[in-house]
């Protein structure tokens, strides 16, 4: 009898397993994330899902935004996709991205209050949240302690304003061994300082703000290392980006985000370096928030047809466990506010963990704005980049270049 | 018309029933893959783009017909006008230069010289490399402290050596040739034996001039030309675009050279023999035999050159990461920029209008070239 019951039970179980439909949840992200995301899915996400659900990470090697827009337009997006704060609003405006407030309100694992507020704002469009930030970055000052010690210059600190900071950089400049700072004509470095100086994104009448005195003052200050010769661009130092100049010890100071931590760990693991916040102007500090979140398409084009399961995967990917995992391997700085008490951030053991802590705190400081150019679009930074290039190469004075940039953007805004 | 005439007319679509039916069926079957590709990738895409060029469309909302508004907007857009100017100047300068250099190279490599195969392979290498890789290497080369500026610095500092070497070679060669001719030998200006002697004398002479400090390297500051990260212009064309032209010429010349080399093999030998009987010099043979015989190839090279240069995209896209947009934007890049680069939702209407304009422009430029430039007939 027992045997018969066992047989019946196994047959029923076997059939029910066959009867369960296999559900595949596709996540598309940057190809560089593949190893980490696959490990995260295997170790943290998959064990907490029903056995018939499989989560697959699909790396995208192409221009991600271009790929996503065409997928959304064709109605064939993945279940979960990355949303970069840089183009979040554009993608949301397609009407094919689902608002997540309804899920968030019901969630046990993830509450709005768990996330760092600026990260929630970054993905909020017209009062609705469209993506859950997975990690983030912001700008900090990286400095080489050995170079500062060699020149007897005090380290840059959180007390520095624009002028005391340049003074230190000028004094640590030591050609031909190293330059004070490696700085590119990069709008993403310049604009936070211009905002700190009081330049608004647009003038109240909707015109370009670049000809305002505070914008010109910021351009004059920002370009000083190149114009006065205590800094150099990456190309002048024969490297691809300022971070490489820092790793190769060709520059004493660079302004970068947490993405510089892995290259230092790999290229100069023994380097004595420190990090601090960007210098202030009149007590104000600016910064950019770079972040990428998980979003999902509206139900009509959701391939798995299971929004509840897709949300569950997003919850698991941003759960405290998953984010601790990301933090402990030093891959990125995760988005939960509570992680400040994680040992890596609470009591950093080395300069790398200290750098992560600086970035984490810098992001929450007042003056940090999302790295987004909505509603103007990329033409906003195209004209700024051109102006900075002309200033750096000496073709135009800061005032003339910024006035030209204002004129150009105004012409574009009128279109 | 009697009944008979009506009866003699073949039945409607009789070929479908006739003995050729099988043959036609198989012909269509084999053509199908090509027809399908042409239909989808060309005809469908073209007509779709043509329709969108008359619409306001962003890939998401339904297309809204706006007539010629997109075309009117193109000509009011400063970026488009810059792109048009850049594309046209790029096409003219690059096509002319690359055709000229490819012809020279082909003629040089058509001689019976030692190591010919090596030179042919070496010159062709740039063409088989990925243009993205070549573009990236090019960006490194054009850094302010890059290879290009380094070589220019070396050339500027060591020019006394180059000039004295060149001067000594010319003086020696002229002396030898004049001496030879005076003794009644039919010596050519570039007689190889004399040239080796002249090169040797030039080298040794320059060494001793340097050794005894009669010539010295200059110590001028390093050449500091910013090739890409600049909005400066030369002859009205942005400097970064000149740099891209140099890159494009360097990578396209070898392919064009192959066409000319193939063309040179086809020039009838009898023509040269007849010319030689008439006492034609090397130049006369080149000018009156080789170049006219190569006209069909030249037509092909120029036409392909114009089409390729007008549609140039990849090199502009790669360098746009470094150079200001307005300095490198071309028509093909303008299309892409409107679609995915400008921020906001894709401006499909503008991109499609620019793409159609580019297609028509390419066609017109090629037709004008054919009408007033070099045609496809040899003589």
């Amino acid at each position: 009898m027992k045997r018969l019951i066992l047989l019946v039970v196994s047959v029923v179980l076997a059939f029910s397993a066959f009867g369960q439909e296999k559900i595949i949840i596709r996540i598309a992200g940057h190809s560089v994330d593949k190893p980490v995301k696959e490990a995260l899915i295997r170790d943290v996400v998959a064990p907490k899902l029903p056995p018939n659900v499989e989560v697959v990470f699909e790396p995208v090697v192409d221009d991600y935004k271009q790929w996503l827009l065409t997928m959304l337009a064709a109605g064939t997006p993945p279940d979960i996709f990355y949303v970069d704060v840089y183009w979040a609003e554009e993608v949301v405006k397609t009407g094919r991205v689902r608002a997540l407030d309804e899920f968030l309100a019901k969630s046990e694992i993830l509450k709005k209050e768990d996330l760092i507020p600026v990260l929630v704002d970054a993905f909020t469009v017209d009062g609705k949240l469209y993506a859950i930030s997975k990690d983030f970055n912001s700008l900090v000052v990286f400095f080489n302690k050995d170079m500062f010690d060699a020149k007897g210059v005090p380290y840059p600190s959180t007390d520095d304003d624009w002028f005391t900071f340049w003074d230190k950089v000028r004094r640590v400049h030591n050609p031909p061994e190293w330059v004070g700072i490696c700085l590119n004509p990069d709008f993403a470095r310049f604009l936070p300082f211009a905002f700190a100086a009081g330049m608004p994104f647009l003038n109240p009448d909707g015109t370009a703000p670049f000809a305002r005195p505070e914008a010109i003052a910021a351009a004059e200050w920002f370009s000083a290392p190149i114009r006065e010769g205590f800094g150099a661009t990456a190309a002048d130092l024969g490297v691809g980006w300022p971070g490489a100049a820092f790793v190769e010890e060709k520059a004493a100071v660079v302004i970068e985000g947490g993405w510089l931590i892995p290259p230092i760990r790999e290229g100069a693991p023994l380097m004595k370096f420190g990090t601090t916040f960007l210098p202030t102007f009149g007590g104000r500090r600016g910064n950019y928030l770079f972040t990428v979140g998980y979003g999902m398409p509206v139900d009509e084009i959701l391939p798995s047809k299971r929004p509840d399961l897709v949300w569950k995967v997003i919850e698991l990917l941003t759960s405290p466990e998953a984010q601790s995992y990301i933090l402990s391997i030093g891959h990125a700085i995760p988005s939960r506010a509570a992680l400040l008490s994680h040992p890596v951030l609470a009591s950093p053991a080395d300069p790398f963990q200290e750098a992560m802590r600086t970035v984490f705190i810098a992001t929450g400081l007042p003056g940090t704005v999302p790295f987004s150019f909505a509603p103007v679009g990329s033409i906003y930074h195209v004209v700024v980049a051109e102006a900075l290039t002309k200033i750096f190469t000496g073709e135009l004075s800061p005032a003339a270049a910024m006035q030209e940039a204002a004129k150009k953007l105004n012409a574009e805004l009128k279109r | 018309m009697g009944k008979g005439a009506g009866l003699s007319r073949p039945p409607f679509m009789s070929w479908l029933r006739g003995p050729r039916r099988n043959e036609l069926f198989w012909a269509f079957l084999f053509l199908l893959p090509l027809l399908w590709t042409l239909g989808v990738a060309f005809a469908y895409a073209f007509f779709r783009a043509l329709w969108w060029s008359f619409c306001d469309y962003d890939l998401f909302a339904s297309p809204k017909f706006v007539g010629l508004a997109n075309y009117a907007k193109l000509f009011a857009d400063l970026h488009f006008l810059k792109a048009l100017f850049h594309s046209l100047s790029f096409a003219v300068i690059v096509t002319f230069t690359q055709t000229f250099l490819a012809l020279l190279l082909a003629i040089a490599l058509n001689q019976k010289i030692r190591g010919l195969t090596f030179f042919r392979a070496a010159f062709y290498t740039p063409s088989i490399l990925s243009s993205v890789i070549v573009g990236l290497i090019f960006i490194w080369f054009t850094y302010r402290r890059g290879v290009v500026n380094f070589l220019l610095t070396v050339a500027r500092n060591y020019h006394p050596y180059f000039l004295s070497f060149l001067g000594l070679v010319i003086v020696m060669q002229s002396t030898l040739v004049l001496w030879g001719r005076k003794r009644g030998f039919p010596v050519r200006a570039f007689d190889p034996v004399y040239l080796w002697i002249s090169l040797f004398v030039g080298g040794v002479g320059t060494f001793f001039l340097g050794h005894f400090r009669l010539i010295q390297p200059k110590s001028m500051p390093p050449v500091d030309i910013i090739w890409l990260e600049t909005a400066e212009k030369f002859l009205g064309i942005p400097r970064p675009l000149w740099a891209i032209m140099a890159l494009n010429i360097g990578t396209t010349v070898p392919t064009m050279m192959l066409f000319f080399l193939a063309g040179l093999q086809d020039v009838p030998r009898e023509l040269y023999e007849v010319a030689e009987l008439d006492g034609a010099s090397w130049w006369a043979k080149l000018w009156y035999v080789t170049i006219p015989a190569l006209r069909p190839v030249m037509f092909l090279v120029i036409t392909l050159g114009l089409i390729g240069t007008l549609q140039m995209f990849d090199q502009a896209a790669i360098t746009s990461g470094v150079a200001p947009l307005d300095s490198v934007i071309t028509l093909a890049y303008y299309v892409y920029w409107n679609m995915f680069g400008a921020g906001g939702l894709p401006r499909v209407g503008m991109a499609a209008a620019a793409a159609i304009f580019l297609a028509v422009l390419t066609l017109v430029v090629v037709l004008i070239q054919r009408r007033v430039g070099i045609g496809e007939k040899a003589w």
Side-chain angles (χ1 to χ4, degrees), chain A residues 354-369:
Chain A
E354 258 170 44
M356 288 177 108
R357 182 186 162 81
T358 312
V359 174
F360 195 94
I361 298 172
T363 308
L365 295 176
T368 302
V369 292

Side-chain angles (χ1 to χ4, degrees), chain A residues 336-352:
Chain A
R336 281 183 176 254
L339 284 166
L340 194 54
S341 58
H342 188 284
V344 168
L345 296 180
S347 46
D350 57 36
F352 303 103

Side-chain angles (χ1 to χ4, degrees), chain B residues 91-105:
Chain B
V92 171
I93 295 171
V94 173
T95 307
F96 176 78
T97 318
Q98 78 190 10
T99 308
F100 178 72
L101 291 179
L103 180 64
L104 275 190
L105 213 55

Side-chain angles (χ1 to χ4, degrees), chain A residues 233-297:
Chain A
T233 63
D236 285 350
L237 297 175
V239 289
W241 65 297
F246 190 74
V247 174
E248 292 176 24
E249 307 205 34
K250 290 179 173 178
V253 172
V254 287
I255 297 171
E256 290 296 335
W259 52 81
L260 180 54
I261 300 169
I264 301 176
R265 208 193 289 269
E266 280 201 359
L270 300 177
M271 181 196 280
K272 277 202 244 161
F273 72 97
T275 44
T276 186
F277 304 148
L278 300 187
T280 56
F281 177 82
R284 285 188 308 270
R285 219 185 293 271
N287 209 335
Y288 261 140
L289 163 72
F290 307 90
T291 178
V292 173
Y294 295 114
M296 61 191 270

Side-chain angles (χ1 to χ4, degrees), chain B residues 228-270:
Chain B
L228 292 176
E229 293 163 306
T230 177
E232 274 199 8
K233 291 177 180 173
F234 175 68
L235 299 177
I237 296 170
R239 197 187 289 159
L241 200 66
W242 282 109
I244 301 177
M245 285 181 190
L247 167 67
N248 198 287
I249 291 168
T251 51
T252 324
V253 159
T255 309
M256 302 306 183
M257 171 201 80
L258 272 195
F259 290 135
F260 279 127
L261 262 178
L264 283 171
Q265 316 296 317
D266 281 348
V267 182
R269 300 244 54 86
E270 303 81 47

